Amino acid sequence: VDEISFDGQVAIVTGGGRGLGRGYCLELAARGASVVVNDLPGPDGRGVADDVVAEIEAAGGAAAAANETVSTREGAQAIVRAALDRFGTVDVVVTNAGVMRNGYFEEITPDRLDLVLDVCLRGAFFTAQAAWPELRRKRYGRIVVIGSAGGMFAMQGEANYAAARGGSYGLMKALAFEGAEHGILVNALLPVAPGMSSMDAPVPGWETYAPAGLMERLAPFQRREAVTPMLVYLASRACTLTGEAFSASAGRYARVFVGLTPGWAAGDDARAEDVAAHLDEIRDLDGFTVPRNLYDELEAIADALGVA
Ligand SMILES: NC(=O)c1ccc[n+]([C@@H]2O[C@H](COP(=O)([O-])OP(=O)(O)OC[C@H]3O[C@@H](n4cnc5c(N)ncnc54)[C@H](O)[C@@H]3O)[C@@H](O)[C@H]2O)c1
């Protein structure tokens, strides 16, 4: 495999001032990208993004800070403008900014839902949308939408976050479809790594629900650096995939997908009781497929009905 290089390319990483995002910025810059590091501004307008920029520049790389919120259209546009003004283009967008406001379902107030949707979902939407015209213009783009196992597989105490992250998956699929004809490839990365800094309280209930000793067994391997290689691949020229999701944690990399069973073709006169009687067939995973898009699903329905 050839060395993966970002020479001559410009990458935007939202929420790049801390945690996983900071690691993505440093690695992309080390591999030759000019990096726009986005994060929230501090009280004086400067922010953690400026520290990451200083780190990159000290190592001989090129970077610029964009101290804006992703959660408004104007903020996202300013982040993309920073890339255009400073480096002249955008090639890579990593929608990594995120927050958690955890609690059991009945405790999640509208403001705790709104903030999480605003940053995790609307932030990714606005940032990708702001970059889209430039990516279309140059007929090249790599967008990596950061998602979460919390949205795809679920756990307790974070229904707001799960709703947002489920949305991240749907956003990725839609952008992959629309981007394909413009040379824009869009995939999702679902990391698991040491604790997020931007949550105000831990996810409740680990002691109750997590299998005993599991977190302790994994902890030694869950370094942030063990997520970055998958991000770098998906963001690179080498990546030819689109519309796919990958889990990365502790040095284990895997594909995450939504599949479809062959199902049960009843015709149009089935009753609820017939459905109940055929659940085993409806749910049988044998011969499942992974539709790339809604048209694959419609084809599968036509196949099942014998009207293909
Ligand atoms: N750490 C994990 O195990 C894990 C698991 C699944 C998904 N994720 C996702 O990966 C991403 C990075 O996770 P992390 O652990 O490094 O989290 P983190 O909280 O350390 O970093 C997130 C960054 O986003 C920034 N941010 C928050 N609101 C913002 C806004 N409105 N505009 C711009 N930036 C904003 C924060 O200031 C912070 O620097 C997050 O989106 C998170 O949801 C993390």
Side-chain angles (χ1 to χ4, degrees):
V1 176
D2 291 340
E3 183 86 4
I4 291 180
S5 159
F6 292 83
D7 278 349
Q9 293 199 316
V10 179
I12 293 173
V13 180
T14 67
R18 294 190 189 86
L20 287 163
R22 172 178 164 274
Y24 303 156
C25 292
L26 297 178
E27 184 64 18
L28 291 169
R31 288 173 179 270
S34 300
V35 180
V36 171
V37 185
N38 157 257
D39 213 295
L40 289 172
D44 61 354
R46 286 177 53 81
V48 281
D50 291 283
D51 300 335
V52 177
V53 169
E55 233 179 311
I56 291 172
E57 288 178 343
N67 297 314
E68 306 279 348
T69 181
V70 292
S71 57
T72 65
R73 196 170 183 209
E74 296 68 31
Q77 285 171 338
I79 296 163
V80 172
R81 209 160 42 240
L84 298 177
D85 289 352
R86 177 70 191 275
F87 300 119
T89 191
V90 182
D91 300 280
V92 174
V93 178
V94 182
T95 65
N96 167 77
V99 288
M100 295 186 85
R101 288 294 178 269
N102 306 315
Y104 287 110
F105 187 38
E106 65 275 20
E107 299 161 359
I108 296 176
T109 50
D111 60 312
R112 295 173 76 79
L113 172 62
D114 288 346
L115 177 68
V116 172
L117 289 174
D118 280 351
V119 179
C120 294
L121 186 54
R122 290 162 62 89
F125 187 103
F126 289 138
T127 309
Q129 196 180 42
W132 199 256
E134 173 66 2
L135 304 181
R136 272 193 66 163
R137 186 195 64 72
K138 64 196 298 182
R139 300 196 56 76
Y140 180 90
R142 298 286 182 270
I143 300 179
V144 187
V145 177
I146 301 302
S148 175
M152 297 303 289
F153 304 127
M155 60 185 282
Q156 81 292 335
E158 42 115 66
N160 48 354
Y161 184 75
R165 289 306 185 202
S168 304
Y169 181 85
L171 175 66
M172 177 278 287
K173 292 297 289 181
L175 300 192
F177 192 102
E178 291 197 26
E181 66 192 89
H182 305 297
I184 305 169
L185 307 186
V186 189
N187 294 283
L189 173 62
L190 285 49
V192 186
M196 282 179 70
S197 56
S198 49
M199 57 185 180
D200 62 350
V203 179
W206 282 103
E207 317 68 33
T208 310
Y209 296 102
L214 179 60
M215 301 316 290
E216 291 72 12
R217 274 185 282 140
L218 286 175
F221 305 101
Q222 285 186 322
R223 295 177 310 114
R224 294 195 179 101
E225 294 75 12
V227 170
T228 307
M230 182 56 90
L231 180 285
V232 167
Y233 172 73
L234 294 175
S236 74
R237 295 180 181 97
C239 175
T240 53
L241 308 171
T242 197
E244 299 196 12
F246 295 92
S247 161
S249 179
R252 194 294 315 266
Y253 305 93
R255 183 175 175 193
V256 176
F257 58 89
V258 174
L260 183 69
T261 66
W264 171 59
D268 58 5
D269 57 355
R271 301 165 68 242
E273 291 77 7
D274 299 321
V275 170
H278 286 86
L279 278 181
D280 284 350
E281 210 176 321
I282 291 168
R283 298 180 62 248
D284 187 359
L285 297 181
D286 265 3
F288 77 85
T289 55
V290 182
R292 285 163 306 170
N293 53 50
L294 175 143
Y295 301 106
D296 282 355
E297 149 76 328
L298 294 179
E299 292 279 9
I301 296 170
D303 276 350
L305 296 179
V307 296

